[in-house]
């Protein structure tokens, strides 16, 4: 029997809300779109476990949905289950195979690449990869996998027919991140996700299942994008990009987006000043306790890890979570009710992993942040992007990238963007825009990378504000185009730098910075159109 692993319900009777009946919950979950059910009982006696499986099987049969049994090969055999799921300390796969009828599906829990290799050797039909996120449903005795580490496990399944689901803490609000973030370098996606509490603990299991099922369809259709921002951009030519950049610029001062920036001590004042100069408003708050309030009023978030402290890190985690859950929740709600064009309340997160290669603490922190929320744009120098993607091609010294850079930056950036599903400097995973404006003085002042991040965040915030306003038509933007937003931020800064550097009174980096503020404040779309130097790869 071919099993559809898309939405895999693992039962947990102990999680039912008070007064809820198990079988009714199961039935409703199936109505909502669960595609496979595993009965999991950890403390139930054999007789009762058997009875639960028999009754559950007759319900699943009505929906033509296969039933698997956790751990107990004898019970699977007794009820004629389609499959069994075996943990690492359960019966070995080879022994279970001998006992079970041929064609019984056998799944294995895997926490790391070693366990995946073993499951392949032992002949598992599918693997459950977990725990991907933190969960209270099961006491975990192994480290969290983290969404960014799922891909390396999936890659081992290339060329086999072994299926894979992720498990652990998967909820409606992190499902898109789970799916996009898990795709391997080779393009191998998850076949589905397994959940316990998101459905079992719900007052309305049918809706809970339907929400997950809809989100999976959205992922598979490729139509929606983690934040419904940017991917699938229609930008095809340099002229079109330039036109959109100019259009965004025209709106900046009147829209005046509020850009929340958690940035480093070196850059705070520069970033705030630059943000004002380009026509946006900065707020530079770092404390976790104020993040939920800020997420409501701000139009975009910049997270820059330049002088990372434990406090700032707590704020970053919290801020991103707030944003992401607002965004994804509204996306899902709208998606649920009214199809595709529901892009309300989307807020971009721009992430600047400054010096990520420099210390273990930064590496760990960045990994954790990227395992927690979905950023919209990653901005980094070559060394940072290399460290982020595990490449050793470019090295960093402290926060600076050294050497000649990537041999093939276009391919590198496109691949990274595809894997992380973010816009980059500047790629959406399809097009790569190569921006050639700028001036060497930018490299001679501190925080020029950080202020680039501020400009990118401001323009992404603007793009997402415009996209959900009545200015949309006139702006000529395609859906919430953060690809163009990112390009605009970089272009505006680099072109203002070119103009500032050639002013008569600018003699070097010291006089350059105030001139840069001046030129940013009076930069016009016309000047940008005149000087723009982009090509597409
Ligand atoms: N197995 P929830 S995590 C049953 O890591 C189970 O193998 C896990 O529950 C593993 O969806 C887990 O409520 C519990 O977080 C998942
Ligand atoms: Mg077990």
């Amino acid at each position: 029997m071919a099993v559809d692993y898309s939405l895999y319900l693992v039962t947990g009777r102990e999680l039912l809300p008070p007064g809820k009946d198990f079988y009714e919950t199961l039935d409703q979950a199936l109505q909502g779109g669960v595609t496979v059910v595993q009965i999991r009982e950890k403390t139930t006696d054999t007789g009762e476990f058997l009875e639960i499986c028999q009754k559950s099987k007759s319900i699943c049969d009505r929906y033509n949905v296969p039933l698997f049994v956790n751990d107990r090969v004898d019970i699977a055999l007794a009820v004629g289950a389609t499959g069994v799921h075996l943990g690492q300390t359960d019966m070995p796969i080879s022994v279970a195979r001998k006992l079970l009828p041929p064609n019984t599906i056998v799944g294995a829990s895997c926490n790391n690449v070693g366990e995946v290799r073993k499951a392949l050797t032992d002949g598992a039909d599918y693997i459950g990869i977990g725990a991907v996120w933190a969960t209270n449903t099961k006491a975990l005795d192994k480290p969290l996998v983290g969404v960014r580490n799922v891909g390396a496990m999936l890659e081992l399944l290339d060329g086999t027919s072994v299926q894979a689901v992720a498990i652990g803490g998967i909820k409606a609000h992190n499902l898109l991140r789970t799916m996009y973030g898990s795709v391997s370098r080779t393009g191998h996606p998850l076949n589905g996700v397994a959940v316990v509490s998101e459905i079992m603990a719900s007052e309305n299991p049918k809706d809970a299942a339907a929400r997950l099922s809809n989100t999976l369809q959205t992922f598979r259709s490729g139509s929606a994008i983690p934040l419904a921002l940017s991917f699938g951009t229609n930008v095809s030519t340099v002229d079109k990009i330039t036109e959109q950049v100019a259009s965004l610029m025209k709106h900046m001062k009147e829209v005046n987006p509020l850009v929340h920036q958690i940035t480093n001590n070196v850059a705070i004042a520069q970033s705030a000043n630059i943000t004002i100069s380009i026509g946006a408003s900065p707020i530079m708050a770092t404390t976790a306790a104020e993040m939920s309030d800020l997420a409501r009023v701000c139009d975009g978030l910049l997270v820059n890890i330049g002088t990372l402290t434990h406090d700032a890190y707590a704020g970053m985690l919290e801020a991103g979570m707030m944003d992401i859950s607002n965004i994804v929740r509204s996306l899902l709600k709208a998606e649920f009710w009214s199809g595709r064009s529901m892009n309300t309340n989307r807020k971009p997160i721009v992430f600047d992993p400054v010096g990520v290669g420099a210390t273990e603490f930064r590496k760990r922190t960045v990994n954790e942040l990227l395992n927690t929320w979905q950023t919209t744009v990653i901005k980094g120098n070559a060394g940072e992007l290399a460290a982020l993607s595990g490449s050793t091609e470019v090295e960093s010294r402290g926060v600076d990238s050294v050497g000649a850079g990537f041999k093939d930056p276009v391919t590198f950036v496109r691949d990274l963007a595809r894997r992380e599903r973010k816009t980059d400097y500047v790629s959406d995973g399809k097009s790569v825009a190569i921006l050639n404006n700028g001036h060497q003085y930018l490299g001679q002042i501190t925080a020029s990378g950080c202020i680039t991040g501020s400009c990118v965040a401001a323009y992404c915030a603007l793009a997402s504000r415009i996209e959900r306003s009545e200015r949309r038509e006139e702006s000529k933007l395609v859906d919430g185009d953060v690809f163009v937003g990112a390009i605009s931020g970089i272009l505006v800064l680099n072109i203002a730098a070119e103009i500032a550097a050639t002013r008569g009174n600018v003699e070097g980096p010291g006089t350059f910075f105030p001139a840069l503020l001046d030129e940013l404040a009076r930069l016009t779309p016309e000047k940008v159109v005149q000087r723009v130097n982009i090509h597409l790869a």
Side-chain angles (χ1 to χ4, degrees), residues 40 42 70-72 85-91 109 138:
R40 183 172 182 269
K42 285 300 169 195
N70 181 282
D71 185 354
R72 293 287 298 267
H85 185 86
L86 302 173
Q88 289 289 325
T89 55
D90 295 341
M91 186 185 286
S109 300
K138 176 181 173 180

Side-chain angles (χ1 to χ4, degrees), residues 230 233 235-238 240-246 248-249 377 423-428 431-437 452 455-457 459-460 463 481-495 528 532-536:
S230 176
T233 136
V235 173
S236 49
T237 65
V238 170
K240 220 168 153 195
I241 293 180
T242 308
E243 185 188 2
Q244 291 183 352
V245 170
L248 272 183
M249 284 184 72
V377 176
T423 312
D424 202 294
Y425 183 93
V426 182
S427 171
D428 57 2
S431 314
V432 180
I434 303 170
L435 315 182
N436 299 312
N437 292 97
T452 307
C455 294
V456 167
Y459 271 94
C460 288
D481 209 328
V482 292
F483 182 58
V484 173
I487 292 172
S488 304
I490 297 165
L491 263 189
V492 160
L493 183 67
N494 285 346
I495 290 177
V528 170
V532 63
N533 182 352
I534 301 183
H535 61 277
L536 286 176

Side-chain angles (χ1 to χ4, degrees), residues 260 262 288 291 295 301 303 314-324 349 373:
H260 178 196
I262 305 180
M291 295 308 165
L301 170 70
V303 172
M316 290 170 188
L317 266 180
E318 191 71 17
M321 298 270 266
M322 289 304 165
D323 259 19
I324 202 85
I349 302 177
W373 30 252

